[in-house]
């Protein structure tokens, strides 16, 4: 049983990661979408369900249990197992075969016999009252509003999370410590036995890192000196509440001080196989059979199918075990080749186990001769260039809908929330990488390029002149497309160059001016490796070029053979890049920020990247030794579409999906202005049809699940919501789209009308696609030419001007107690008086 259950509210995101370590969260259904976007994968949660909510959909989405009224429980009892339902009690305590009861009020319920989970939310907000009840009633699970909780010490108004955990723990040791078994979250192997104290537990919860109590040396922050740190995944007490289990993600060399991953020796079974395959993928010689298993998809597919067939044909116990071992080997090789761990597989299994709705239990038609009933056709024909969707018996891919006017202030606020990146945790992870580049320079950079990008380089840089890729490497049509995009982006950004000197005579004899100068040395980061992203190279290289930057360092991960994608290389030549850094991730950011013998140091770093790149940019911009700026905070891609009755459902769905396919954390919102039910159904049908025809349907499906349709009555209401949301991309499908632009206050980039898809801005219309996300469009602009320039002011005073202004300056300087400032004026005025 969890020591307590936190009741989440809109202000909870900073605490969610810490709270989720200790057990399930309790989430009101109105906040579910917002909270799930911040909740780490695989964490358990309960949902407090309102009347009229779809209970089965909530359980299918991953809720461990739901808290419902007795009437709601009866409605779904025939299709939902009782162990997934907790019933709100009216005081009778009749569980009726359900998992538990939920009470609230001033007085705790009497003790109830049986194996029920009894949740109790007290009306008292006193930390001391809640702590006392937690200690005295171990049969209850306290429900504590997250507004009362803190990761710091308990005060008169806030209750420490660690104090609530400790309220249920009892040490049987003279020194008061708790034996703590540390296990790996990735393979569930025990890493070792340590001890915890109240102080170490509090530190662990606050930092999210493994912190223990050494019986000889005091507080022991794991990995503080070795770098072999631990991320805390969960903390659990045993059945006697006198020992703890820490589940961790181990980084670095391992848990043990000896050259082995655990204090109990080497790994075995699936854990050993996963480790072996990961090592083989990185180290196997090119062209070898082992390497081909990870790079030749046809070969690996054939082996998986072959072993699956042999398993199906096996009869004896020994044969089945032998063939299953072969199948597991090749199936796990497939996982490793795609960056999937056994922990990822286990999370997927856990998610499947929580589903109430089940697909029909027959095999797919490719494996069993069975007719599949085609799904209904779109209400409007899909363009012929769009691939036909595969018929599916799965539930439709659809967005959640809310009516804005029906929401409370808190619920409306929750709609505006984005996933919260645990930036402090990520910065801790990139610190060793950045430090290695600083201390080891090019040698460390090469070693990490070999480790992370699988490229063994003699040099990390490539200098111009860059060769133009041949036609067999870069086809003429791709080159022509790059040329057209480059020229459009160049024209638009060249028009932004600030070449004029601003002069203002503020008073007679005093002229103030402002003039622009390019930032001398800039770094542009272009994600790469297996990806090909010439558009990002264009969007960053062109404004640097037209702004007049003297040095442009383009960093991009190399391919395993050490080469750069020909598309990016071609753009680098067009944009006048002065150095290509063949490295990716945090190490590339560090090399540009601090410089090495080979890599030039830059003054400002631009470009998107994963959370490692983002964390590294945040780290170096705050280091005074680096003296480097960055473009803007980064987050998952976003689109907000505003549509009225004139909107084309096919176009609206395609725009929503164009962002949903970016990643499962993409943010997709449709603001529907007084749309009829039939038009909304057409849009939803198109989303389902078009999504199923996409190669990245699995990604789009997950993003759409977390997406939302916000129904509003008027354009003004829709624009007000959009301005609060401040989307990265805003698309206007309106009768008067052009007229609505005047109401836009916050957005990264606006796409006006039915024939202005966001894709054009991403690639070639001329505007820049490096835009603010996470609501930062309220205070940040997208990347533009001025991002690569700085403005310098100057002032020139004549004698007469100083005579007029001097007394003002002296008065203000004396008022601030800065006599030297005042004296710099006095001596000049005195000199003029002597003339």
């Amino acid at each position: 049983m969890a020591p307590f259950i936190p009741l989440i509210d809109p202000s909870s995101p900073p605490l969610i990661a810490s709270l989720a370590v200790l057990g399930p969260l309790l989430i009101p259904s109105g906040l579910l979408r917002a909270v799930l976007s911040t909740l780490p994968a695989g964490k358990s949660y309960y949902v407090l369900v309102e009347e009229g909510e779809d209970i089965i959909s909530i359980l299918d989405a991953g809720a461990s249990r739901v808290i419902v009224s007795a009437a709601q429980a009866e409605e779904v009892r025939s299709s939902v197992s009782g162990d997934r339902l907790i019933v709100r009690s009216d005081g009778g305590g009749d569980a009726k075969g359900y998992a538990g009861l939920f009470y609230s009020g001033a007085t705790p319920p009497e003790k109830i016999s049986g194996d029920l989970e009894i949740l109790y939310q007290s009306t008292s907000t006193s930390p001391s009252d809640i702590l006392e009840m937690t200690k005295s009633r171990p049969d209850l699970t306290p429900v504590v509003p997250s507004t009362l909780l803190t990761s710091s010490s308990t005060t008169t108004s806030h209750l420490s999370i660690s104090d609530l955990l400790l309220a249920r723990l009892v040490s049987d040791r003279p020194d008061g410590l708790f034996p703590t078994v540390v296990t790996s979250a990735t393979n569930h192997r025990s890493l070792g036995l340590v001890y915890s104290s109240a102080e170490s537990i509090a530190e662990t919860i606050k930092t999210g890192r493994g912190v223990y109590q050494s019986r000889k040396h005091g507080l022991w922050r794991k990995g503080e000196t070795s770098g072999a740190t631990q991320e805390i995944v969960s903390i659990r007490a045993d059945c006697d509440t006198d020992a703890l289990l820490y589940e961790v993600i181990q980084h670095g060399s391992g848990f043990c001080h000896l050259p082995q991953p655990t204090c109990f020796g080497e790994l075995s079974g699936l854990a050993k196989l996963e480790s072996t395959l990961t090592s083989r993928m990185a180290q196997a010689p090119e062209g070898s059979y082992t390497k081909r298993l990870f790079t030749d998809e046809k070969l690996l597919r054939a082996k998986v199918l072959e072993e699956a067939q042999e398993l199906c044909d096996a009869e004896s116990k020994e044969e089945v075990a032998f063939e299953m071992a072969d199948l597991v080997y090749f199936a796990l090789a497939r996982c490793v080749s795609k960056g999937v761990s056994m922990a990822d597989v286990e999370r997927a299994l856990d998610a499947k186990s929580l589903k109430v709705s089940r697909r029909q239990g027959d095999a797919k038609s490719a494996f069993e001769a069975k007719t599949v009933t085609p799904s209904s056709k779109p209400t409007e024909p899909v363009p012929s260039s769009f691939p036909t969707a595969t018929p599916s018996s799965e539930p439709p891919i659809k967005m959640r809908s809310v009516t804005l006017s029906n929401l409370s202030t808190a619920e409306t606020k929750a709609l505006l929330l984005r996933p919260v990146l645990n930036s402090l945790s990520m910065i801790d992870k990139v610190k060793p990488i950045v430090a290695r580049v600083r201390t080891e320079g090019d040698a460390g950079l090469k070693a990490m390029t070999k480790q992370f990008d699988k490229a063994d380089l003699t040099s990390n840089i490539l200098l111009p002149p860059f060769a133009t890729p041949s036609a067999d490497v870069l086809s003429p049509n791709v080159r022509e497309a790059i040329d057209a995009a480059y020229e459009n982006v160049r024209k638009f950004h060249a028009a932004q160059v600030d070449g004029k000197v601003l002069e203002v005579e503020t008073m007679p004899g005093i002229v103030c001016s402002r003039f622009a100068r390019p930032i001398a040395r800039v770094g542009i980061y272009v994600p790469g490796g297996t990806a090909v992203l010439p558009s990002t190279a264009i969007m960053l290289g062109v404004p640097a070029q037209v702004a007049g930057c003297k040095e442009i360092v383009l960093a991009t991960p190399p391919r395993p053979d050490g080469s750069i994608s020909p598309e990016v290389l071609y753009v680098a030549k067009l944009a006048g890049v002065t150095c290509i850094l063949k490295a990716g991730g945090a190490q590339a950011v560090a090399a540009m920020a601090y410089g090495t013998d080979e890599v030039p140091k830059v003054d400002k770093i631009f470009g998107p990247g994963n959370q490692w790149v983002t964390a590294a940019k945040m780290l170096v911009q705050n280091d005074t030794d680096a003296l480097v700026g960055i473009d803007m905070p980064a987050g998952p891609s976003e689109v907000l579409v505003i549509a009225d009755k004139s909107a084309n459902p096919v176009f609206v769905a395609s725009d929503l999906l164009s962002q949903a396919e970016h990643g499962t954390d993409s943010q997709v919102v449709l603001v529907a202005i007084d749309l009829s039910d039939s038009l909304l159904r057409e849009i939803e049908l198109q989303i389902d049809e078009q999504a199923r025809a996409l190669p990245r349907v699995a990604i789009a499906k997950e993003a759409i699940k977390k997406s939302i349709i916000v129904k509003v009555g008027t354009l003004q209401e829709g624009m007000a919501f959009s301005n609060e949301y401040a989307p990265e991309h805003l698309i206007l499908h309106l009768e008067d789209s052009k007229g609505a632009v005047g109401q836009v206050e916050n957005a990264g980039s606006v796409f006006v009308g039915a024939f202005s898809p966001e894709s054009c801005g991403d690639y070639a219309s001329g505007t820049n696609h490096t835009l603010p996300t996470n609501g930062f469009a309220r205070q940040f602009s997208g990347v533009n030419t001025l991002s690569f320039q700085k403005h310098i002011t100057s002032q020139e005073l004549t004698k007469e001007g100083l005579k007029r202004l001097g007394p003002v300056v002296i008065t203000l300087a004396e008022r601030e107690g800065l006599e030297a400032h005042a004296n710099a004026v006095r001596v000049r005025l005195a000199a003029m008086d002597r003339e």
Side-chain angles (χ1 to χ4, degrees), residues 196-237:
S196 296
S197 63
E199 184 182 4
S200 72
I201 292 169
E203 185 81 1
T204 294
I205 292 172
K206 187 173 184 178
T207 63
R209 303 274 291 272
V211 182
Y212 308 106
Q213 189 74 30
S214 169
R215 289 168 293 171
K216 295 181 180 178
H217 305 296
L219 211 59
W220 169 33
R221 294 178 175 85
K222 182 72 179 73
E224 190 171 40
T225 56
S226 67
T229 58
Q230 294 173 344
E231 291 177 61
I232 297 296
V233 174
S234 71
I235 299 175
R236 299 286 183 270

Side-chain angles (χ1 to χ4, degrees), residues 10 54 350 385 390 420 467 487 723 739:
D54 186 343
D350 289 340
S385 60
T390 303
V420 176
E487 186 56 27
N723 285 325

Side-chain angles (χ1 to χ4, degrees), residues 278-477:
T278 302
S279 175
R280 286 179 178 175
M281 185 175 75
Q283 300 174 8
E286 291 296 333
S288 67
Y289 172 73
T290 302
K291 192 71 170 181
R292 285 176 58 211
L293 279 179
F294 301 104
T295 58
D296 186 339
E297 296 226 353
K298 288 184 178 179
L299 171 63
L300 184 53
R301 176 184 176 83
K303 291 302 298 180
V304 171
L305 294 174
E306 173 190 325
E307 298 303 337
Q309 182 64 56
E310 291 182 359
L311 174 61
C312 293
D313 293 341
E315 294 294 340
S316 69
K317 179 179 178 180
E318 291 75 14
E319 286 175 332
V320 170
F322 184 86
E323 298 302 342
M324 181 62 180
D326 279 350
L327 179 58
V328 167
Y329 179 91
F330 290 107
L332 193 49
R334 169 73 173 168
C335 291
V336 170
S337 73
K338 296 298 182 183
V340 175
S341 69
M342 282 302 299
D344 297 324
V345 175
E346 289 174 359
R347 278 194 292 271
L349 286 170
D350 289 340
K352 288 177 185 291
S353 72
L354 292 174
K355 282 188 176 291
V356 176
S357 304
R358 301 290 179 186
R359 59 177 290 173
Q360 192 171 336
D362 50 14
K364 291 183 178 179
S365 57
F367 300 95
E368 178 179 307
K370 192 174 183 69
T371 302
V372 179
T373 303
S375 57
S376 58
K377 295 294 182 185
T379 55
E380 182 170 344
V382 177
S384 58
S385 60
F386 203 87
T388 304
T390 303
S392 173
S393 59
E394 294 182 0
I397 299 171
K398 63 184 297 184
M399 302 165 71
R400 184 168 68 94
S401 293
V402 299
T403 301
L404 191 60
S405 60
N406 293 342
L407 302 182
S408 66
T409 302
E411 289 170 329
T412 302
K413 182 179 177 182
L415 291 182
L416 304 174
L417 296 178
R418 312 308 209 271
V420 176
L421 171 67
N422 189 343
S423 56
L424 294 178
S425 173
M426 282 306 305
I427 287 173
D428 282 343
K429 292 178 184 178
V430 302
K431 277 181 180 178
I433 297 173
V434 172
R436 186 174 182 186
V437 173
R438 291 190 67 181
T439 56
E440 299 181 23
D442 292 309
L445 187 58
K446 288 173 188 173
M448 285 188 285
T449 302
K450 183 177 181 180
Q451 178 184 354
F452 298 124
D453 300 318
K454 315 307 179 190
D456 193 358
L457 306 176
T458 56
S459 172
N460 280 110
I461 64 168
L462 186 63
L463 299 175
F466 306 125
T468 301
S470 60
D472 60 331
V473 174
L474 186 64
S475 62
N477 66 317

Side-chain angles (χ1 to χ4, degrees), residues 247-269:
E247 195 176 19
V248 305
I249 297 175
Q250 177 68 52
H251 298 288
S253 56
F255 182 84
C256 187
H257 66 286
L258 299 175
Q260 57 191 31
T262 84
C263 290
F264 304 108
E266 296 296 330
L267 302 172
S268 61

Side-chain angles (χ1 to χ4, degrees), residues 15 26 96 128 136 175 308 321 348 361 383 484 554 615 651 673 746:
L15 285 178
L26 178 54
K96 297 182 181 178
S128 59
S136 62
D175 56 13
L554 186 155
F651 295 174
I673 301 176
N746 300 319

Side-chain angles (χ1 to χ4, degrees), residues 88 95 198 322 466 533 561 620 626 680:
R88 293 189 182 94
F322 184 86
F466 306 125
L533 296 173
D561 63 359
V620 299
L680 275 172

